Amino acid sequence: MKEESLIWVDLAHVDEGPGPDCMSFGFDLDPLILSIRRCGLINNPLVARNEQGRVDVIAGYRRILALKTLGWGRVQCRDLSALLPSPLERLLFNLHDNLPTRTFNDVEKGMILGRLASLVPREALLNEHMPLLGLPSHEPLLRVYLQVEGMEEPVKRALAEGRIPMRTVRALLDLDLDSVKTLGRWLTDIIFNFNQQSQFIEYVRDISVRENREISELMSDEGLAGILRDPKVKGPHKAKHVLERLRQRRYPRLCRSQEAFQEKVKRLNLPEGVMVRFDPYFEDPHYHLDISFREGKALREKIVRLSQLEGLGKLGDPWPEDS
Amino acid sequence: MTKISLIKRALVEEAAEGSALASRILERIKGVPVFRVTARDREQEPVLQDMGKETLRLVSFPGRFLKPCPGTRGYICCGYQILNVGTNCPLDCSYCILQAYFNQPSLRVFVNLDHEIAPVLNQIDQNPDRVFRIGTGEFTDSLALDPIVGWSGMLTGPFSTRRNAVLEFKTKTDRVEGLLASKGRDRIIVSWSLNSPFIASREEHGAPSIRKRLEAAKRCQAEGFALGFHFDPLIEHPGWREEYQKTLELLDRYIDPGGIIWMSLGCFRFMPALKSIIRRRHPGSLVLDGEFVPALDGKMRYHKPIRIDMYGFMSEKLCQWHEDLGLYLCMEAGEVWQGGLGWTPETTEGLSRYLDQRVIRFFGPL
């Protein structure tokens, strides 16, 4: 029977990356470093030799990184080369070692599916492994996950930390690499909420197609880049400014209609507590009047004042003059 | 456009086997590999990432063949009836809604039509006071597959003898040989979807040029068919006025406007889900460039003054050409009718009455 053995591994010979069998990304190493410093290494990492004779980590990648940080030169590991001869067995060993104890983030799910993709048939990925990771068995979604690992580091970090959802990543993936890099930078530099992220990507893509300009070139326009650099505009305000600027550019006539209507209403000088509501897209043909009041007497006064307002009879669609 | 020779295979579903129409179709595409599809095969079919336009699929359609056009809520519709003879189309227009139906790929022909047409005709006969405006061109092009299916030969006869129905063949093609060879003329309308030559060449992949479509229309008019035209979708693009004017000039050159029963105008609108499909399947398309806003029915439409402007331009030019074209708008709001055409039918019933009257004026009383 094949058995595992204990071997000493020189940490300088172990890669910093997770290698072919591990799937950790975006984790906080500090608690593990503290634990090892206080209690020592409780469980030995598991390793196996690859075809080149080098040692790959099968389980314990974070422990190896922590030990390196602590300055350990070598560590005793359990060598599973004989027990797990094939790459698939090693990968599945790690997967099932992790599955019961922790939740994978989306980058890790992408790493797992990406590694499995070269080792198992597509159907197995869809029907066995995606459900195992809590994902629906869905080909387009699989294609998205398979591209995650190749994305830029800051975008992956934002995804792993939940600052960017998968739907944002999905919206980026059919763009060229340069555009993904540009948008990735904006998405990590500016605090957009999830809906704003989608809106941002859609505006930029639409404008880029319509103006036939590369996204990187478009986003370096002074008007936009200036907002990014402006130290006086902070946090979510920056996101709002960027989106408003893009909206004006994407929907110039709609924006003009909205401004023109609001200007018309403003010029009416409505009594306090009276407000005109309108569909921002003007598809609803009706405008609505809100009057807030505490007593009928106040309501009567407001209605009388309204009926005497000059210009009320001309309030209506803000086109054609403003379209 | 897809020629018959570009159909690379035919699939015959179990329930369609033995149908007379299926046999006739298979005879016409002799040489194309034919495969039998069982219910189990259907369950195991992978979801295609494209529309399978090179596969002809012969199907026995279990649903109703005649259905009212679903229209759209919040807008005025025309009260049209759809004769559902098949789905999908060999053309590949960038704006086509059928792209969103990937779960039903391939060119589907409902081969039980020759049996199921009887209840449809019966329904028409049971309602002698009602005008049935019926068309086959909603879920497929009416004539693109006519050389192999023979819809025109099957349908013109029964419809041309009924006083209270008209049948409209709506197409972007020039495949009118079947129609011209058929005997029916009365109450048969052949209509073309038109656009600017720029949009036709850039966005209507595989469709003949506007000139070719109008040459085919001219032949049909000369042979006694009533004509219809549909500028739908109107698409805002650089120089759109000049571009649409070119089509109007071609219309004037080829067509006698007195023989046009109706013309519709409809600005491009789409379900939001179609946007990503168009971006993926037609990355160079400009149909999404306009200022689209969410409309009352959930679709995206051009901002209202843009629609009014486009309808106003087209209506003015068309009325200069001929004042009685039966012009109407497809799925539009009352205020857009008023702004663009200068009048409104107010409701779907109002528009239905207007079009029914056109039928009576053209083809005589019920």
Side-chain angles (χ1 to χ4, degrees):
Chain A
M1 186 181 154
K2 291 172 182 170
E3 287 182 1
E4 66 178 66
S5 58
L6 283 173
I7 58 168
W8 283 99
V9 173
D10 185 345
L11 289 178
H13 293 155
V14 182
D15 286 340
E16 292 280 322
D21 305 319
C22 295
M23 52 273 293
S24 285
F25 183 88
F27 48 87
D28 179 6
L29 206 54
D30 289 345
L32 186 57
I33 292 172
L34 190 67
S35 160
I36 295 175
R37 191 178 281 144
R38 287 219 174 141
C39 311
L41 182 68
I42 297 168
N43 291 311
N44 299 100
L46 308 180
V47 296
R49 295 210 175 271
N50 61 28
E51 284 173 350
Q52 289 79 42
R54 286 174 61 86
V55 163
D56 286 334
V57 181
I58 291 182
Y61 164 61
R62 298 182 195 205
R63 276 168 274 162
I64 297 272
L65 286 187
L67 295 174
K68 281 190 173 193
T69 309
L70 286 167
W72 287 33
R74 60 179 197 152
V75 64
Q76 200 167 36
C77 297
R78 289 157 64 191
D79 181 4
L80 304 186
S81 304
L83 268 179
L84 305 171
S86 76
L88 179 60
E89 284 171 300
R90 292 170 188 187
L91 183 59
L92 290 178
F93 184 94
N94 182 297
L95 175 61
H96 289 282
D97 183 45
N98 278 281
L99 261 179
T101 55
R102 72 183 184 96
T103 307
F104 294 110
N105 62 47
D106 282 317
V107 178
E108 291 170 334
K109 288 176 184 175
M111 292 165 74
I112 295 164
L113 292 170
R115 284 155 171 69
L116 282 167
S118 60
L119 301 171
V120 301
R122 196 85 169 178
E123 289 72 31
L125 270 186
L126 280 163
N127 301 327
E128 293 170 32
H129 299 292
M130 289 187 82
L132 208 56
L133 297 171
L135 299 173
S137 169
H138 190 226
E139 173 67 35
L141 186 65
L142 174 60
R143 285 201 300 273
V144 174
Y145 271 97
L146 291 179
Q147 293 179 69
V148 163
E149 200 176 359
M151 299 193 79
E152 286 220 304
E153 208 60 18
V155 178
K156 284 200 290 187
R157 265 204 306 278
L159 179 62
E161 290 164 12
R163 285 182 285 123
I164 288 180
M166 273 309 278
R167 75 177 150 115
T168 298
V169 172
R170 196 187 291 214
L172 290 174
L173 283 178
D174 51 348
L175 295 170
D176 63 274
L177 200 59
D178 198 32
S179 300
V180 174
K181 279 184 184 172
T182 303
L183 292 180
R185 270 197 298 277
W186 280 77
L187 287 167
T188 48
D189 285 353
I190 291 190
I191 305 167
F192 290 111
N193 65 36
F194 291 174
N195 286 334
Q196 287 174 327
Q197 288 174 10
S198 302
Q199 193 69 79
F200 170 74
I201 295 170
E202 188 164 357
Y203 282 155
V204 173
R205 287 193 70 170
D206 284 356
I207 295 168
S208 154
V209 172
R210 192 171 64 183
E211 296 182 6
N212 197 20
R213 295 177 69 195
E214 296 294 333
I215 285 177
S216 54
E217 185 196 343
L218 181 71
M219 298 311 289
S220 62
D221 281 359
E222 185 48 34
L224 286 164
I227 299 173
L228 195 60
R229 286 195 306 267
D230 189 348
K232 280 179 268 171
V233 187
K234 306 265 187 223
H237 293 295
K238 206 164 258 201
K240 278 187 186 163
H241 280 224
V242 169
L243 286 175
E244 183 52 25
R245 188 158 201 112
L246 290 168
R247 193 179 80 91
Q248 297 267 355
R249 191 151 161 185
R250 175 67 184 88
Y251 296 102
R253 285 169 290 186
L254 176 66
C255 291
R256 275 206 300 278
S257 294
Q258 290 168 341
E259 283 159 16
F261 186 77
Q262 280 158 344
E263 185 56 34
K264 274 185 175 184
V265 172
K266 195 174 156 194
R267 270 189 263 133
L268 285 175
N269 243 334
L270 293 170
E272 204 183 320
V274 176
M275 194 174 80
V276 172
R277 283 188 296 110
F278 68 103
D279 170 9
Y281 304 115
F282 299 98
E283 280 301 297
D284 181 349
H286 299 106
Y287 300 98
H288 306 269
L289 187 72
D290 276 358
I291 304 177
S292 63
F293 61 96
R294 278 188 53 76
E295 294 163 344
K297 191 178 163 204
L299 173 63
R300 182 196 297 270
E301 282 170 13
K302 286 182 182 179
I303 291 173
V304 169
R305 279 189 59 197
L306 274 171
S307 70
Q308 292 166 344
L309 282 180
E310 273 185 44
L312 196 62
K314 289 181 184 162
L315 186 63
D317 295 337
W319 53 81
E321 69 270 24
D322 302 302
S323 64
Chain B
M1 71 176 294
T2 303
K3 298 188 175 90
I4 296 169
S5 59
L6 289 183
I7 288 174
K8 294 210 169 126
R9 62 176 188 159
L11 305 179
V12 184
E13 292 194 356
E14 257 174 335
E17 282 182 81
S19 124
L21 178 54
S23 305
R24 290 200 299 273
I25 292 170
L26 293 176
E27 181 62 29
R28 287 178 190 131
I29 56 169
K30 239 179 195 167
V32 170
V34 178
F35 302 93
R36 184 168 178 259
V37 180
T38 63
R40 191 160 170 220
D41 293 334
R42 281 209 307 275
E43 280 168 19
Q44 292 175 346
E45 269 179 279
V47 177
L48 292 180
Q49 292 311 309
D50 218 324
M51 300 181 68
K53 285 173 182 279
E54 292 172 340
T55 300
L56 183 71
R57 191 177 191 112
L58 306 184
V59 177
S60 179
F61 178 60
R64 279 173 54 203
F65 272 70
L66 188 66
K67 278 186 187 168
C69 173
T72 198
R73 75 191 135 85
Y75 298 90
I76 298 170
C77 296
C78 68
Y80 200 63
Q81 302 274 325
I82 298 167
L83 183 62
N84 198 4
V85 296
T87 58
N88 291 341
C89 163
L91 311 181
D92 198 19
C93 302
S94 61
Y95 50 72
C96 181
I97 180 63
L98 297 175
Q99 295 172 101
Y101 305 150
F102 280 137
N103 59 340
Q104 297 273 293
S106 65
L107 307 171
R108 289 168 184 251
V109 174
F110 302 150
V111 293
N112 51 336
L113 172 68
D114 45 6
H115 286 293
E116 296 301 325
I117 195 67
V120 171
L121 298 171
N122 192 36
Q123 187 184 344
I124 293 168
D125 295 341
Q126 296 291 312
N127 295 275
D129 297 329
R130 184 180 153 195
V131 176
F132 286 81
R133 284 175 283 107
I134 299 172
T136 57
E138 289 301 307
F139 301 122
T140 183
D141 184 286
S142 294
L143 297 178
L145 293 175
D146 198 46
I148 52 175
V149 181
W151 285 313
S152 57
M154 290 168 64
L155 297 173
T156 49
F159 279 91
S160 62
T161 54
R162 280 172 168 79
R163 304 299 302 165
N164 61 328
V166 289
L167 180 65
E168 182 175 26
F169 289 95
K170 220 183 261 188
T171 187
K172 282 193 188 92
T173 75
D174 52 1
R175 297 192 162 171
V176 293
E177 285 72 19
L179 266 176
L180 296 175
S182 70
K183 287 186 180 150
R185 295 287 183 275
D186 196 23
R187 298 175 183 276
I188 303 299
I189 299 159
V190 199
S191 69
W192 273 265
S193 173
L194 297 178
N195 222 302
S196 78
F198 179 84
I199 292 293
S201 65
R202 187 178 160 131
E203 306 286 347
E204 296 177 342
H205 307 290
S209 68
I210 297 298
R211 184 186 298 272
K212 284 212 162 105
R213 291 179 217 180
L214 291 174
E215 282 169 358
K218 184 180 179 176
R219 288 175 68 198
C220 287
Q221 190 167 46
E223 289 284 334
F225 286 101
L227 299 186
F229 291 98
H230 302 281
F231 281 92
D232 194 347
L234 286 170
I235 291 167
E236 196 189 30
H237 56 285
W240 64 266
R241 285 182 179 79
E242 294 73 26
E243 288 296 322
Y244 281 110
Q245 178 68 39
K246 289 178 189 168
T247 299
L248 299 177
E249 283 162 12
L250 285 172
L251 259 173
D252 182 39
R253 190 182 309 169
Y254 286 101
I255 304 299
D256 168 12
I260 296 174
I261 183 167
W262 49 52
M263 287 184 91
S264 74
L265 305 174
C267 281
F268 181 42
R269 62 260 176 215
F270 58 95
M271 295 304 295
L274 190 63
K275 183 171 180 177
S276 59
I277 295 171
I278 294 175
R279 285 264 185 261
R280 181 170 57 78
R281 294 195 72 238
H282 305 281
S285 171
L286 54 69
V287 300
L288 300 169
D289 285 1
E291 289 189 49
F292 294 99
V293 298
L296 302 176
D297 56 357
K299 290 179 185 165
M300 304 300 289
R301 290 163 187 266
Y302 287 120
H303 178 34
K304 214 178 262 182
I306 300 171
R307 277 142 60 199
I308 291 173
D309 188 24
M310 297 190 83
Y311 294 138
F313 171 82
M314 294 298 289
S315 141
E316 186 189 333
K317 297 291 175 190
L318 287 165
C319 289
Q320 281 169 10
W321 181 42
H322 190 73
E323 61 189 13
D324 188 27
L325 290 168
L327 203 59
Y328 69 98
L329 302 185
C330 186
M331 299 186 195
E332 266 302 356
E335 62 276 13
V336 175
W337 272 82
Q338 195 64 54
L341 266 56
W343 73 285
T344 169
E346 306 281 355
T347 59
T348 292
E349 292 70 30
L351 178 54
S352 293
R353 273 196 302 276
Y354 168 73
L355 294 172
D356 289 351
Q357 285 306 314
R358 296 285 305 176
V359 169
I360 290 167
R361 268 183 54 197
F362 248 74
F363 297 111
L366 303 184

